[in-house]
Every structure is written in structure tokens, then in C-alpha cells.
Amino acid sequence: MRRHLIIATLGMLLLASCSETKYVAEGELLLDKVKVKSDVKESAINTTELKSYVRQRGNSRWFSLIKVPLYTYSLSGRDTTSWLNRTLRSIGEPPQIHDSLLTVQSAIRLRDNLQNLGYLRATVDVNQKTKGKKLRTTYVLHPGKRYQIRHVSYDIQDTAIAKLLNTADSTTWGLHSGMSFNAENLDSERKRIVNELTQNGYYRFNKDFISYKADSIAGTQLIDLTLVLHRFRNNQVKDVPHERYTMGEITYRSGNLEDSDIHLRPKVLRNNTFLESGGYYSSRQLQNTYNHFGRLGAVRYTNISFTEHALEPVLDCDIAITTNKPSTISFQPEGTNTAGDLGAAASLTYQNRNLFRGSELLTIELRGAYEAIRGLEGYAQQNFVEYSLETKLNFPRFIAPFLARSFRRRTTATSEVSLLYDLQNRPEFRRRVFSVAWRYKWNDPRHHDRYQIDLLDLNYISMPWISETFYNEYLLDTSSRNAILRYNYENLFIMKFGVGYTYNNGRIAIKAKAETAGNLLSAAAHSLGFHQNAEGQYTFMDLAFAQYAKADIDLTRNVRLDYNNELVFHFGLGVAYPYGNSTILPFEKRYFSGGANSVRGWSVRSLGPGKFVGTDGRIDFINQTGDMKLDMNIEYRAKLFWKFGGALFVDAGNIWTLRDYPDQPGGQFQFSEFWKQLAVSYGLGLRLNFDYFIVRFDMGMKAVNPAYETRKEHLPLLYPKFSRDFAFHFAVGLPF
């Protein structure tokens, strides 16, 4: 049945491809393909970017290969009253009919862009080939030689501005000898000067007061350049010095029509205002004021306006603050599926965005979950129930001593304290988790970096009850056979400290974090002589405490191929090592592989460690964890039609243990062997992009399986078996 369906689908696409020109009228041509190429090999000429200047493109192709949207449109009949025909046309794409005027305009835009890049004598040829009703267009770029700046001089006609620019910190002028003579460099220098002046009181200054004079040197590609900064002029006043404005009175008012009270403390208003009475006007401080008010949860809109004094260059500032409703309550249901066990969950969340009239955010979330567990025998209860209560209090500023005021005002920071109590009742055990955390997050708005410090994170994990059946089957043995399992079903105390860093400029993303636990307690235990339990572990409040170090890094690189396609590379590495008071990592800190964000040919928590082969499905979720993780991914993403996108991917990776645990044979990391234990999978995905979130469906197939008994199991790429090698994943958001 499946084979017939595939054959029928391919046949329909083939039929449609033969009728691409079905809706191309006589005398018209289908624009089949558009190329942009250059007759020189220079890194400065990026033909992929230049292609965006072409006014008319061919029909979109799935994964740059197949024009499925056009084929879909071509499958429709001419009867527009038919629901099927209207549907095919709405989800398809009409043929792109060649327009000679747009071709001419595209050639002119490409030439102008080359000239803006410094190729002043550039030309563009258009080559076109026709086959039947199809036309292929190639734009051939002839850049010629690039022009450079030989000498730069500055004509600053306003003496006060000349003095300011020559004594400011940014005295290094943006233009210099040897630079490429192009529009980007010239415009960057204009922007730099405008920024310098508007940040120092010149409220009315703009780039129209800056012009250039350029003289070419005969027989060369060299330019002598003069930047001219003109005096102030408008329709009423001409050729007078530019006025430098100071700030007058700064007032605040409510932007809410129904409420004249701003509901923010005066100190909060002042701390988030960077313009200062008596100081010079500054465009940077104006933007900082907008940014800092904009990040306050209590603030909905901010509008800042200025009023000039009639007889002197002074600006009065009016700041209108429109606030949000302080409190909200939300309810969110969800479905759950844990290894095939279906269930439901719901959360009730209360938020107060202005708890102490300083835009403090209080969040209280009550969550409940239920799952019907199948396949368990010998247990009195067959269900999983979970209740949790989490409270967070977020301050939109640093709550910490000894920080310089300049640092506090330069960064946008939050301080957060959180408390969580989680109750889990399973047929096998009952688990209680209580945690308290204090953390800081901050970033500099002028950069792409973000930082986080988990100053204190305490976790108390209690197992008040364990089923006799579960205890006898898995925990009774006191040998090392079930050491990992036993460790994760004992009471435990975790006291950790962590740091994190992220960077994202839209093309390159870096995530790094590190944490360590138990070091302070270990030092106190040795110096104060804490009690030791039967396993030789020091205890704190009669609980063994965890001691480990952990570090993770993720690198992602996006390469845009064209307006519909991009290639994404991802590399992830994580290492954790238990030491001192611990020989095994806590379960929550161990790594697992497989799933929607890892090696997608495996279901979640079903891969590794190393070449370990699971033997007991009931406890493999414990044994298939490790101390080290490696992920390498390549994903080709393409826009399909409407809100649909597609992906082709290849994943590789695995997890390993750093210690040799008897219950995980073949799982220890070894430099000479790890590359042989890399799992590889491939597959395709479908994405629904709703702007605010992305729904993702990924289908993966195993290609190389490190945990095998036969050659066919080792190389599923050569010996595929759908029931054994296929994994389906549903997720929200992109995998990396």
C-alpha cells in the first residue's frame, strides 16, 4: 500500500512537471531560472547577496531542486468555482512570467550596487536562453578594478564642532588612505560623525550636513577625497554655527487615559532615565532611556518628547509612561506522552508585574500532571501523579552590593529568587524535590552577549517511599551492579554554583555554561569533621551531598544560501565529572542522547553510552545516561509554501561515561575508540512557522548504530528496517 502511494505521488509530480507552462499564455515565457555570476573571483563580490537585487526571480524550488509549489498550482483545473482548484491554487504558486522591464531594472540595480562597492566602471550583461516556453536569465557582472582612497582631507566649517571632533575620544577618523572607495565606507563615516555630535548636544544635526568631494587621479583607480561638514542652514536661517542643546526640566506623567498615577516609585523613574537636567542632550542616553523603560514588565509604552526654549538652546523633556495591568491569571492545559504512556497536565499561573511599585515580577505557578502507566506488574498502583508549586520573584536590576553605578546603568540586569516544591508519586516510588535559587542575568544592549550567574542553587531530593517490588528487584543488591540505579533513589543534597554565557548575532550563536557543586560543603566537611555514612560519604543534615564539575558548549552557524534556503551547522559538547564526595553524577545532571534535539534516528534516552546495549527496558532510562555528550548536526532548511518549511538533516553523536561502571559495559570514553562509537542518522522534517513559535515534525532513520550484535544492526544505512530504525519526533522550536 505504501509503495503504491509513493508511486502515485511521484507520478502526479512528474505529470505536473510536464505541464509547468500550462498557465503560460501564447507570447509569454516562464522564467525558469535566474543566475548571477561574476567574471572575476574576488571575495568582496558575493553573488549570493547580490542576487537579492534582482527584481524578478523564478518559481521557488523545494531544497533548491523541485518546483513543487508550481507543480501544485499546475494540477488545478481552469474551473475557478471548484473547491479543489481553488485550494490547489491557494497553496501553490503561479508561474513567474518573464518581464523584460524588470530584467532591465535588475541589471541597473546590480550595476549601481557594484559601483557602491567601489567598482566605478562596472557593467552588467544579461544573457538569456529560451527553450520552448521557458526562459533562463543569467546576469554576468563585469566589475573591473576597484577604486581606492589615496588621500583624505576634512573641511569642518563649524569651529566648535571641529574642536569637539578633534578632542573627542573617537578622534580616529573612519576614512584613511588605502580604503576602498565605496558607499558603505562613506556612509559609515557620516553615521559615525552624526552619532558623535548627537551624543554631545547637537540635537538638530543630521547627515545632510555632511557631503563629499571626490577627485579621481587620471590613469589610476585612486581617489582624493574631501569630507565637508557644513554650517547650520534651513529655510529661515543659513550658514550659522550649529547649536549645542542642554537638557532643561524632566517631567513624568501617566500615559493611561483612565489613570493619572504612574504606579512606579520616583526612584525607579529616575534610575531608568539617562538624560540629565543641566547636561547636554545625548541620543545615546535617549535610546538607553527607552531601552530601560521598555524592559520593565510594568511598562507597556514609553513616549519621550522634547520642547525647545524660544530664546536659548534648551530642551524640556516629557516622559509619558503607559503601564500594564499589574496582575494576570492564566490557565494552560497540555497533553503528555512519556515512552508511550499518555497523560494530561495543567498549570495555573498568577503574575504580578509591579509588586513593590518597581516593576518587580512575582510569578506563582501551580502545576498538576497525570499519566496512566502500562506494562508494570507487581505494583499496587498503576498511575503517575505529579504536583508542583513554583514561586519566582524577579527584580529588573542588580540586587547586590559593591557594584559601580556606571556598571549598573550600562547593563540591563535582572536578579531572581525562586522556590520550588515538586511532589511525584509513581507506582515504583515517591519523590520530593525542594529547591531554592538566587541568580543574576545581564547584558550590554550595545553588544550580542548575555551573562548569567547562579550564585546559589540548593536542591533537596527526598525519596520517602520505595515500592517493595522495585526495591527487591533493583535496589536490594549491595554490590556495584546497580550502583547508578541505587544512587539515584537515595536522599541527596545539591549545593551548586554556575555561570553562563550566550552570544547570538543572527549568523553565529554560542552557548556556554559551567557549574560546580559540593566544594564548599566538602571543605567544611574536612575541616569540621562532618559525619560519614556507610558508603564513606560526608553528610550535611544527615544527607549525602553531591560533588561534581560540569561544562557545556554549543556552537551554531547559519549560512544563508538564498532567500528560501539556508544551511545550519551545529556542534555541542558537554562534560561532567563526579569527584570527592561522589562517584556518580545525580540523575538530573547526567547526559542522554537521542530525541528531537540530538541524534534524531533514536528516540529520547535510547542511545548510548558508547556501545552499551540495553537489556532491561524498565531501567534503561537510568543506564542509558552518561558523563559526556557529543552532538554534530548539519541541517538544510528550506521555505516550502505558506507557513510550511522543510528540512533535510544528518546527525552524529553519542554519550559516554568517564568512569568504568559495571552496569554500563562498553560505555566508557576512550580516545582510541570513541570515533567508532559515533551514532549517525539522517532524515527529513516538516515545520509550521507561526512567527511566535514553530511546530516541528522530524522523521529520522538510523545510518550507523554503535550498539549492535549483527552487521545489519551496525549499518542500517545499507540494511534499513523501518520498524527497527525509524524514529518520529514532535517538538516546538528549532533543534538548534
Side-chain angles (χ1 to χ4, degrees), residues 27-54:
E28 295 180 337
L29 292 172
L30 173 69
L31 186 58
D32 185 45
K33 203 168 188 178
V34 176
K35 288 185 178 180
V36 177
K37 65 180 184 179
S38 174
D39 65 355
V40 298
K41 301 293 183 181
E42 286 199 32
S43 59
I45 299 176
N46 188 327
T47 56
T48 299
E49 291 184 2
L50 287 173
K51 194 173 180 179
S52 63
Y53 292 92
V54 176

PDB file of all heavy atoms in Angstrom, residues 27-54:
ATOM      1  N   GLY A  27       2.890  33.821 -26.384  1.00  0.00           N
ATOM      2  CA  GLY A  27       3.647  35.071 -26.401  1.00  0.00           C
ATOM      3  C   GLY A  27       4.319  35.389 -25.082  1.00  0.00           C
ATOM      4  O   GLY A  27       5.078  36.357 -24.991  1.00  0.00           O
ATOM      5  N   GLU A  28       4.044  34.571 -24.034  1.00  0.00           N
ATOM      6  CA  GLU A  28       4.690  34.753 -22.731  1.00  0.00           C
ATOM      7  C   GLU A  28       5.736  33.667 -22.518  1.00  0.00           C
ATOM      8  O   GLU A  28       5.709  32.622 -23.168  1.00  0.00           O
ATOM      9  CB  GLU A  28       3.651  34.706 -21.596  1.00  0.00           C
ATOM     10  CG  GLU A  28       2.647  35.843 -21.631  1.00  0.00           C
ATOM     11  CD  GLU A  28       1.643  35.751 -20.497  1.00  0.00           C
ATOM     12  OE1 GLU A  28       1.440  34.631 -19.968  1.00  0.00           O
ATOM     13  OE2 GLU A  28       1.062  36.797 -20.147  1.00  0.00           O
ATOM     14  N   LEU A  29       6.645  33.939 -21.608  1.00  0.00           N
ATOM     15  CA  LEU A  29       7.706  32.983 -21.286  1.00  0.00           C
ATOM     16  C   LEU A  29       7.747  32.764 -19.778  1.00  0.00           C
ATOM     17  O   LEU A  29       7.637  33.723 -18.996  1.00  0.00           O
ATOM     18  CB  LEU A  29       9.070  33.487 -21.772  1.00  0.00           C
ATOM     19  CG  LEU A  29       9.277  33.566 -23.294  1.00  0.00           C
ATOM     20  CD1 LEU A  29      10.593  34.270 -23.609  1.00  0.00           C
ATOM     21  CD2 LEU A  29       9.263  32.167 -23.924  1.00  0.00           C
ATOM     22  N   LEU A  30       7.908  31.515 -19.366  1.00  0.00           N
ATOM     23  CA  LEU A  30       8.083  31.168 -17.956  1.00  0.00           C
ATOM     24  C   LEU A  30       9.530  31.422 -17.562  1.00  0.00           C
ATOM     25  O   LEU A  30      10.456  30.897 -18.190  1.00  0.00           O
ATOM     26  CB  LEU A  30       7.730  29.704 -17.720  1.00  0.00           C
ATOM     27  CG  LEU A  30       8.024  29.162 -16.313  1.00  0.00           C
ATOM     28  CD1 LEU A  30       7.082  29.781 -15.300  1.00  0.00           C
ATOM     29  CD2 LEU A  30       7.925  27.639 -16.282  1.00  0.00           C
ATOM     30  N   LEU A  31       9.740  32.256 -16.545  1.00  0.00           N
ATOM     31  CA  LEU A  31      11.094  32.495 -16.044  1.00  0.00           C
ATOM     32  C   LEU A  31      11.527  31.270 -15.261  1.00  0.00           C
ATOM     33  O   LEU A  31      11.153  31.088 -14.103  1.00  0.00           O
ATOM     34  CB  LEU A  31      11.124  33.747 -15.167  1.00  0.00           C
ATOM     35  CG  LEU A  31      12.498  34.205 -14.688  1.00  0.00           C
ATOM     36  CD1 LEU A  31      13.430  34.483 -15.857  1.00  0.00           C
ATOM     37  CD2 LEU A  31      12.375  35.439 -13.809  1.00  0.00           C
ATOM     38  N   ASP A  32      12.318  30.419 -15.900  1.00  0.00           N
ATOM     39  CA  ASP A  32      12.640  29.113 -15.332  1.00  0.00           C
ATOM     40  C   ASP A  32      13.722  29.197 -14.260  1.00  0.00           C
ATOM     41  O   ASP A  32      13.631  28.551 -13.219  1.00  0.00           O
ATOM     42  CB  ASP A  32      13.088  28.171 -16.462  1.00  0.00           C
ATOM     43  CG  ASP A  32      13.316  26.757 -15.969  1.00  0.00           C
ATOM     44  OD1 ASP A  32      12.463  26.257 -15.220  1.00  0.00           O
ATOM     45  OD2 ASP A  32      14.355  26.160 -16.324  1.00  0.00           O
ATOM     46  N   LYS A  33      14.739  30.001 -14.515  1.00  0.00           N
ATOM     47  CA  LYS A  33      15.867  30.058 -13.579  1.00  0.00           C
ATOM     48  C   LYS A  33      16.591  31.385 -13.731  1.00  0.00           C
ATOM     49  O   LYS A  33      16.676  31.936 -14.834  1.00  0.00           O
ATOM     50  CB  LYS A  33      16.834  28.897 -13.834  1.00  0.00           C
ATOM     51  CG  LYS A  33      17.692  28.533 -12.640  1.00  0.00           C
ATOM     52  CD  LYS A  33      18.408  27.202 -12.874  1.00  0.00           C
ATOM     53  CE  LYS A  33      19.103  26.728 -11.605  1.00  0.00           C
ATOM     54  NZ  LYS A  33      19.770  25.410 -11.801  1.00  0.00           N
ATOM     55  N   VAL A  34      17.120  31.888 -12.619  1.00  0.00           N
ATOM     56  CA  VAL A  34      17.876  33.139 -12.611  1.00  0.00           C
ATOM     57  C   VAL A  34      19.218  32.894 -11.943  1.00  0.00           C
ATOM     58  O   VAL A  34      19.279  32.318 -10.849  1.00  0.00           O
ATOM     59  CB  VAL A  34      17.109  34.258 -11.877  1.00  0.00           C
ATOM     60  CG1 VAL A  34      17.966  35.518 -11.787  1.00  0.00           C
ATOM     61  CG2 VAL A  34      15.799  34.559 -12.571  1.00  0.00           C
ATOM     62  N   LYS A  35      20.284  33.317 -12.609  1.00  0.00           N
ATOM     63  CA  LYS A  35      21.630  33.184 -12.053  1.00  0.00           C
ATOM     64  C   LYS A  35      22.320  34.538 -12.062  1.00  0.00           C
ATOM     65  O   LYS A  35      22.043  35.390 -12.916  1.00  0.00           O
ATOM     66  CB  LYS A  35      22.468  32.189 -12.860  1.00  0.00           C
ATOM     67  CG  LYS A  35      22.088  30.733 -12.688  1.00  0.00           C
ATOM     68  CD  LYS A  35      23.067  29.845 -13.452  1.00  0.00           C
ATOM     69  CE  LYS A  35      22.748  28.364 -13.262  1.00  0.00           C
ATOM     70  NZ  LYS A  35      23.704  27.501 -14.014  1.00  0.00           N
ATOM     71  N   VAL A  36      23.221  34.722 -11.099  1.00  0.00           N
ATOM     72  CA  VAL A  36      24.094  35.886 -11.060  1.00  0.00           C
ATOM     73  C   VAL A  36      25.515  35.380 -10.918  1.00  0.00           C
ATOM     74  O   VAL A  36      25.823  34.646  -9.976  1.00  0.00           O
ATOM     75  CB  VAL A  36      23.745  36.834  -9.893  1.00  0.00           C
ATOM     76  CG1 VAL A  36      24.732  37.989  -9.843  1.00  0.00           C
ATOM     77  CG2 VAL A  36      22.319  37.347 -10.015  1.00  0.00           C
ATOM     78  N   LYS A  37      26.377  35.727 -11.856  1.00  0.00           N
ATOM     79  CA  LYS A  37      27.767  35.295 -11.771  1.00  0.00           C
ATOM     80  C   LYS A  37      28.690  36.431 -12.164  1.00  0.00           C
ATOM     81  O   LYS A  37      28.273  37.391 -12.836  1.00  0.00           O
ATOM     82  CB  LYS A  37      28.015  34.075 -12.644  1.00  0.00           C
ATOM     83  CG  LYS A  37      27.846  34.287 -14.131  1.00  0.00           C
ATOM     84  CD  LYS A  37      28.124  32.976 -14.888  1.00  0.00           C
ATOM     85  CE  LYS A  37      28.068  33.172 -16.389  1.00  0.00           C
ATOM     86  NZ  LYS A  37      28.368  31.912 -17.131  1.00  0.00           N
ATOM     87  N   SER A  38      29.914  36.347 -11.737  1.00  0.00           N
ATOM     88  CA  SER A  38      30.896  37.402 -11.976  1.00  0.00           C
ATOM     89  C   SER A  38      32.053  36.862 -12.808  1.00  0.00           C
ATOM     90  O   SER A  38      32.388  35.675 -12.724  1.00  0.00           O
ATOM     91  CB  SER A  38      31.417  37.942 -10.639  1.00  0.00           C
ATOM     92  OG  SER A  38      32.465  38.859 -10.839  1.00  0.00           O
ATOM     93  N   ASP A  39      32.659  37.753 -13.592  1.00  0.00           N
ATOM     94  CA  ASP A  39      33.804  37.322 -14.401  1.00  0.00           C
ATOM     95  C   ASP A  39      35.128  37.470 -13.661  1.00  0.00           C
ATOM     96  O   ASP A  39      36.190  37.230 -14.226  1.00  0.00           O
ATOM     97  CB  ASP A  39      33.854  38.090 -15.728  1.00  0.00           C
ATOM     98  CG  ASP A  39      34.105  39.590 -15.535  1.00  0.00           C
ATOM     99  OD1 ASP A  39      34.149  40.039 -14.378  1.00  0.00           O
ATOM    100  OD2 ASP A  39      34.236  40.305 -16.550  1.00  0.00           O
ATOM    101  N   VAL A  40      35.068  37.877 -12.367  1.00  0.00           N
ATOM    102  CA  VAL A  40      36.273  37.937 -11.540  1.00  0.00           C
ATOM    103  C   VAL A  40      36.032  37.177 -10.256  1.00  0.00           C
ATOM    104  O   VAL A  40      34.899  37.043  -9.796  1.00  0.00           O
ATOM    105  CB  VAL A  40      36.689  39.393 -11.219  1.00  0.00           C
ATOM    106  CG1 VAL A  40      37.012  40.146 -12.484  1.00  0.00           C
ATOM    107  CG2 VAL A  40      35.602  40.104 -10.437  1.00  0.00           C
ATOM    108  N   LYS A  41      37.081  36.648  -9.681  1.00  0.00           N
ATOM    109  CA  LYS A  41      36.991  35.905  -8.420  1.00  0.00           C
ATOM    110  C   LYS A  41      37.522  36.786  -7.300  1.00  0.00           C
ATOM    111  O   LYS A  41      38.712  36.829  -7.026  1.00  0.00           O
ATOM    112  CB  LYS A  41      37.797  34.601  -8.504  1.00  0.00           C
ATOM    113  CG  LYS A  41      37.350  33.674  -9.623  1.00  0.00           C
ATOM    114  CD  LYS A  41      35.952  33.131  -9.363  1.00  0.00           C
ATOM    115  CE  LYS A  41      35.526  32.145 -10.439  1.00  0.00           C
ATOM    116  NZ  LYS A  41      34.157  31.622 -10.216  1.00  0.00           N
ATOM    117  N   GLU A  42      36.628  37.554  -6.690  1.00  0.00           N
ATOM    118  CA  GLU A  42      37.005  38.416  -5.570  1.00  0.00           C
ATOM    119  C   GLU A  42      36.075  38.142  -4.403  1.00  0.00           C
ATOM    120  O   GLU A  42      34.872  38.008  -4.567  1.00  0.00           O
ATOM    121  CB  GLU A  42      36.925  39.901  -5.959  1.00  0.00           C
ATOM    122  CG  GLU A  42      38.054  40.358  -6.870  1.00  0.00           C
ATOM    123  CD  GLU A  42      38.205  41.874  -6.842  1.00  0.00           C
ATOM    124  OE1 GLU A  42      37.937  42.473  -5.784  1.00  0.00           O
ATOM    125  OE2 GLU A  42      38.590  42.447  -7.868  1.00  0.00           O
ATOM    126  N   SER A  43      36.674  38.072  -3.217  1.00  0.00           N
ATOM    127  CA  SER A  43      35.872  37.780  -2.019  1.00  0.00           C
ATOM    128  C   SER A  43      34.863  38.882  -1.727  1.00  0.00           C
ATOM    129  O   SER A  43      33.849  38.657  -1.082  1.00  0.00           O
ATOM    130  CB  SER A  43      36.796  37.585  -0.809  1.00  0.00           C
ATOM    131  OG  SER A  43      37.584  38.754  -0.585  1.00  0.00           O
ATOM    132  N   ALA A  44      35.157  40.113  -2.207  1.00  0.00           N
ATOM    133  CA  ALA A  44      34.259  41.223  -1.932  1.00  0.00           C
ATOM    134  C   ALA A  44      32.974  41.137  -2.745  1.00  0.00           C
ATOM    135  O   ALA A  44      31.995  41.811  -2.437  1.00  0.00           O
ATOM    136  CB  ALA A  44      34.955  42.553  -2.218  1.00  0.00           C
ATOM    137  N   ILE A  45      32.961  40.320  -3.791  1.00  0.00           N
ATOM    138  CA  ILE A  45      31.774  40.194  -4.632  1.00  0.00           C
ATOM    139  C   ILE A  45      31.057  38.907  -4.257  1.00  0.00           C
ATOM    140  O   ILE A  45      31.467  37.812  -4.652  1.00  0.00           O
ATOM    141  CB  ILE A  45      32.153  40.204  -6.121  1.00  0.00           C
ATOM    142  CG1 ILE A  45      32.841  41.515  -6.477  1.00  0.00           C
ATOM    143  CG2 ILE A  45      30.920  40.000  -6.985  1.00  0.00           C
ATOM    144  CD1 ILE A  45      33.325  41.587  -7.898  1.00  0.00           C
ATOM    145  N   ASN A  46      30.007  39.037  -3.494  1.00  0.00           N
ATOM    146  CA  ASN A  46      29.214  37.893  -3.055  1.00  0.00           C
ATOM    147  C   ASN A  46      27.982  37.809  -3.952  1.00  0.00           C
ATOM    148  O   ASN A  46      27.013  38.539  -3.775  1.00  0.00           O
ATOM    149  CB  ASN A  46      28.807  38.064  -1.591  1.00  0.00           C
ATOM    150  CG  ASN A  46      28.137  36.824  -1.025  1.00  0.00           C
ATOM    151  OD1 ASN A  46      27.437  36.107  -1.723  1.00  0.00           O
ATOM    152  ND2 ASN A  46      28.350  36.574   0.262  1.00  0.00           N
ATOM    153  N   THR A  47      28.031  36.916  -4.937  1.00  0.00           N
ATOM    154  CA  THR A  47      26.928  36.829  -5.893  1.00  0.00           C
ATOM    155  C   THR A  47      25.639  36.367  -5.240  1.00  0.00           C
ATOM    156  O   THR A  47      24.550  36.700  -5.710  1.00  0.00           O
ATOM    157  CB  THR A  47      27.308  35.893  -7.052  1.00  0.00           C
ATOM    158  OG1 THR A  47      27.679  34.610  -6.520  1.00  0.00           O
ATOM    159  CG2 THR A  47      28.460  36.457  -7.867  1.00  0.00           C
ATOM    160  N   THR A  48      25.745  35.599  -4.144  1.00  0.00           N
ATOM    161  CA  THR A  48      24.530  35.173  -3.444  1.00  0.00           C
ATOM    162  C   THR A  48      23.803  36.371  -2.847  1.00  0.00           C
ATOM    163  O   THR A  48      22.575  36.485  -2.948  1.00  0.00           O
ATOM    164  CB  THR A  48      24.875  34.169  -2.332  1.00  0.00           C
ATOM    165  OG1 THR A  48      25.496  33.018  -2.914  1.00  0.00           O
ATOM    166  CG2 THR A  48      23.627  33.729  -1.590  1.00  0.00           C
ATOM    167  N   GLU A  49      24.557  37.298  -2.234  1.00  0.00           N
ATOM    168  CA  GLU A  49      23.939  38.500  -1.685  1.00  0.00           C
ATOM    169  C   GLU A  49      23.450  39.428  -2.793  1.00  0.00           C
ATOM    170  O   GLU A  49      22.382  40.030  -2.690  1.00  0.00           O
ATOM    171  CB  GLU A  49      24.927  39.235  -0.781  1.00  0.00           C
ATOM    172  CG  GLU A  49      25.242  38.507   0.521  1.00  0.00           C
ATOM    173  CD  GLU A  49      26.144  39.314   1.427  1.00  0.00           C
ATOM    174  OE1 GLU A  49      26.479  40.463   1.046  1.00  0.00           O
ATOM    175  OE2 GLU A  49      26.511  38.818   2.499  1.00  0.00           O
ATOM    176  N   LEU A  50      24.221  39.524  -3.874  1.00  0.00           N
ATOM    177  CA  LEU A  50      23.826  40.403  -4.967  1.00  0.00           C
ATOM    178  C   LEU A  50      22.550  39.924  -5.648  1.00  0.00           C
ATOM    179  O   LEU A  50      21.811  40.721  -6.233  1.00  0.00           O
ATOM    180  CB  LEU A  50      24.962  40.501  -5.993  1.00  0.00           C
ATOM    181  CG  LEU A  50      26.184  41.323  -5.559  1.00  0.00           C
ATOM    182  CD1 LEU A  50      27.301  41.196  -6.576  1.00  0.00           C
ATOM    183  CD2 LEU A  50      25.806  42.785  -5.377  1.00  0.00           C
ATOM    184  N   LYS A  51      22.277  38.631  -5.573  1.00  0.00           N
ATOM    185  CA  LYS A  51      21.070  38.094  -6.203  1.00  0.00           C
ATOM    186  C   LYS A  51      19.813  38.701  -5.602  1.00  0.00           C
ATOM    187  O   LYS A  51      18.752  38.720  -6.240  1.00  0.00           O
ATOM    188  CB  LYS A  51      21.048  36.568  -6.069  1.00  0.00           C
ATOM    189  CG  LYS A  51      20.033  35.888  -6.973  1.00  0.00           C
ATOM    190  CD  LYS A  51      20.171  34.382  -6.927  1.00  0.00           C
ATOM    191  CE  LYS A  51      19.151  33.712  -7.845  1.00  0.00           C
ATOM    192  NZ  LYS A  51      19.286  32.235  -7.840  1.00  0.00           N
ATOM    193  N   SER A  52      19.911  39.208  -4.369  1.00  0.00           N
ATOM    194  CA  SER A  52      18.740  39.820  -3.731  1.00  0.00           C
ATOM    195  C   SER A  52      18.323  41.111  -4.433  1.00  0.00           C
ATOM    196  O   SER A  52      17.210  41.601  -4.216  1.00  0.00           O
ATOM    197  CB  SER A  52      19.025  40.095  -2.252  1.00  0.00           C
ATOM    198  OG  SER A  52      20.078  41.033  -2.111  1.00  0.00           O
ATOM    199  N   TYR A  53      19.208  41.687  -5.283  1.00  0.00           N
ATOM    200  CA  TYR A  53      18.873  42.903  -6.014  1.00  0.00           C
ATOM    201  C   TYR A  53      18.128  42.625  -7.313  1.00  0.00           C
ATOM    202  O   TYR A  53      17.700  43.552  -7.995  1.00  0.00           O
ATOM    203  CB  TYR A  53      20.147  43.705  -6.316  1.00  0.00           C
ATOM    204  CG  TYR A  53      20.782  44.291  -5.081  1.00  0.00           C
ATOM    205  CD1 TYR A  53      21.770  43.590  -4.391  1.00  0.00           C
ATOM    206  CD2 TYR A  53      20.394  45.527  -4.587  1.00  0.00           C
ATOM    207  CE1 TYR A  53      22.347  44.108  -3.240  1.00  0.00           C
ATOM    208  CE2 TYR A  53      20.964  46.064  -3.438  1.00  0.00           C
ATOM    209  CZ  TYR A  53      21.947  45.339  -2.768  1.00  0.00           C
ATOM    210  OH  TYR A  53      22.495  45.853  -1.631  1.00  0.00           O
ATOM    211  N   VAL A  54      17.991  41.363  -7.661  1.00  0.00           N
ATOM    212  CA  VAL A  54      17.250  41.001  -8.869  1.00  0.00           C
ATOM    213  C   VAL A  54      15.760  41.168  -8.595  1.00  0.00           C
ATOM    214  O   VAL A  54      15.233  40.619  -7.626  1.00  0.00           O
ATOM    215  CB  VAL A  54      17.589  39.559  -9.307  1.00  0.00           C
ATOM    216  CG1 VAL A  54      16.732  39.155 -10.501  1.00  0.00           C
ATOM    217  CG2 VAL A  54      19.063  39.443  -9.647  1.00  0.00           C
TER     218      VAL A  54
END
